Amino acid sequence: MDAASYAYEYCLGDGHRAPTCIAQSAAAEAGDFLRSVRWSPDGNALAAVSDSGALEIHDMSGIVEAYYGGQEVASEIGPPALSVPHASGVLAYSWYPHMQSQAPETCCIVESSRDHPVQLRDTKSGRVRASYPAFDDKDGLMSASALDFSGQQQHFLAGYDACLARFDVMRPGLPLVQRGLSPSRRSRDGMKGLVSCVAQRAGVAACATFAGHLGLRSADLEDIASWQVPVEYRGAGVTDLRWASDVVVWAAQRRAKYLVAWDVRDLRSPVMAVERPARGRQRLAIDCDRTGRHLVAGTEDGSVLLYDTKTEMCQVSVAADDVVAAVAAHPYYPILATASGQRLFSGDATKLNCLKIWTIESQYFI
């Protein structure tokens, strides 16, 4: 049965088992941890960024195939198949949407780092295939703080300081379109601040800034709408965006008590809000499963929050003994990847921060 030929829903609440850890990696070196993880479009690899600045590619095909075939899954995740160090760290990255592990020419990822243009990196060899620079109005090279591919197309969107740019991955060099988020720095219209995240769906790009502004842009980056988080839900800047459907988008913030969702057809007020306290300034990721019905989020107390937007059932399961900063739902199966850790300048630096793979009890529909 083809993985894309059926749907599923998480079984949450009393009478159902909590997520089960089926594999985990060796503990990270003292003081290091994974800041984010993302599944590849074919679900056979994981990209991860460590706090030490390395981009890691983990081959997960053995674990996924064993799970799909009902076989015993190896309990230990081996070392990354590729690890590329970056002196200034990785600011953002996004998988090429047509990536298939069996086709090496499609195995690539766009990444950005400080004082460098966006680069297309081969995830098999680690070499840079192409570069995509963008310049400000004073001809200074800008560093992309957010990246996202446009669905199944070959264009990707890059976010900068009060600016967005759209590139064609097949045409290295300058962007196809580059637009500011506000008419001018003094204008009260539009969006302000450094772009923290972008997410595209159905020809519409949602973007947000660390200043707490959110906006919708067309394929040509024309302004569709701009708004801010209501005061009762507001934190210290939006850090993550995820589309649950063609019309519903979720936002996560730093130092905020709630995850908030809007229906983009009516932005006057949020349509949903889920409590997920975040007292610090560290990014705590969110993700949606392939159906968009289930929201997953990491928490500061080492738990993973699972939320069913249809039944409003919420389940919190312990996943680590430190902050769960990274979560990623598999594109086809009820499998979840998590990573934990935070920067510690004093105190306990002996916590076992590692990459973990979980299965979630689910009901399938052909």
Side-chain angles (χ1 to χ4, degrees), residues 170 334 363:
M170 300 299 180
Q363 181 178 3

Side-chain angles (χ1 to χ4, degrees), residues 24-59:
Q24 69 179 58
S25 66
E29 296 181 4
D32 198 13
F33 62 94
L34 296 181
R35 292 194 288 112
S36 78
V37 295
R38 289 187 184 178
W39 288 99
S40 62
D42 70 348
N44 287 324
L46 266 176
V49 171
S50 69
D51 193 53
S52 60
L55 174 68
E56 300 178 356
I57 305 297
H58 294 262
D59 182 4

Side-chain angles (χ1 to χ4, degrees), residues 75 289 297:
S75 60
D289 73 330

Side-chain angles (χ1 to χ4, degrees), residues 142-155:
M142 298 189 294
S143 302
S145 53
L147 294 169
D148 187 63
F149 266 100
S150 177
Q152 294 300 312
Q153 299 181 13
Q154 63 186 30
H155 294 171

Side-chain angles (χ1 to χ4, degrees), residues 150-349:
S150 177
Q152 294 300 312
Q153 299 181 13
Q154 63 186 30
H155 294 171
F156 67 88
L157 197 62
Y160 302 91
D161 185 9
C163 175
L164 287 175
R166 185 177 295 280
F167 294 87
D168 185 340
V169 73
M170 300 299 180
R171 198 197 77 173
L174 297 176
L176 301 175
V177 184
Q178 181 174 326
R179 297 189 190 279
L181 298 180
S182 179
S184 68
R185 290 189 177 274
R186 294 185 177 183
S187 173
R188 294 187 178 183
D189 298 327
M191 301 170 61
K192 302 295 184 180
L194 180 68
V195 175
S196 58
C197 46
V198 291
Q200 301 180 84
R201 180 84 173 243
V204 176
C207 56
T209 70
F210 287 113
H213 294 257
L214 299 98
L216 298 176
R217 297 279 164 152
S218 67
D220 293 328
L221 303 185
E222 295 287 350
D223 187 14
I224 298 176
S226 299
W227 75 99
Q228 286 186 279
V229 181
V231 174
E232 60 269 28
Y233 300 122
R234 191 170 300 171
V238 180
T239 57
D240 208 356
L241 289 172
R242 286 291 183 274
W243 288 95
S245 68
D246 289 346
V247 296
V248 176
V249 61
W250 283 93
Q253 305 174 82
R254 297 185 297 193
R255 303 184 68 180
K257 189 177 181 180
Y258 295 94
L259 303 173
V260 189
W262 286 268
D263 186 322
V264 298
R265 297 168 297 184
D266 184 359
L267 296 170
R268 288 175 295 180
S269 62
V271 292
M272 283 179 282
V274 180
E275 188 170 343
R276 196 281 304 264
R279 295 177 294 274
R281 301 190 68 85
Q282 182 176 1
R283 285 190 185 219
L284 300 181
I286 60 172
D287 202 1
C288 292
D289 73 330
R290 62 174 294 192
T291 68
R293 173 175 172 175
H294 307 104
L295 176 73
V296 297
T299 68
E300 291 184 328
D301 62 1
S303 300
V304 171
L305 180 148
L306 304 172
Y307 181 73
D308 188 327
T309 59
K310 184 176 181 180
T311 65
E312 298 186 355
M313 176 68 71
C314 186
Q315 178 175 310
V316 179
S317 303
V318 177
D321 60 356
D322 204 353
V323 175
V324 177
V327 294
H330 194 273
Y332 299 113
Y333 302 117
I335 298 176
L336 190 66
T338 66
S340 60
Q342 61 181 316
R343 290 181 182 176
L344 297 173
F345 298 97
S346 62
D348 185 10

Side-chain angles (χ1 to χ4, degrees), residues 2-9 290-291 332 362-366:
D2 183 10
S5 64
Y6 63 88
Y8 60 84
E9 64 179 40
R290 62 174 294 192
T291 68
Y332 299 113
S362 301
Q363 181 178 3
Y364 290 86
F365 303 92
I366 304 299

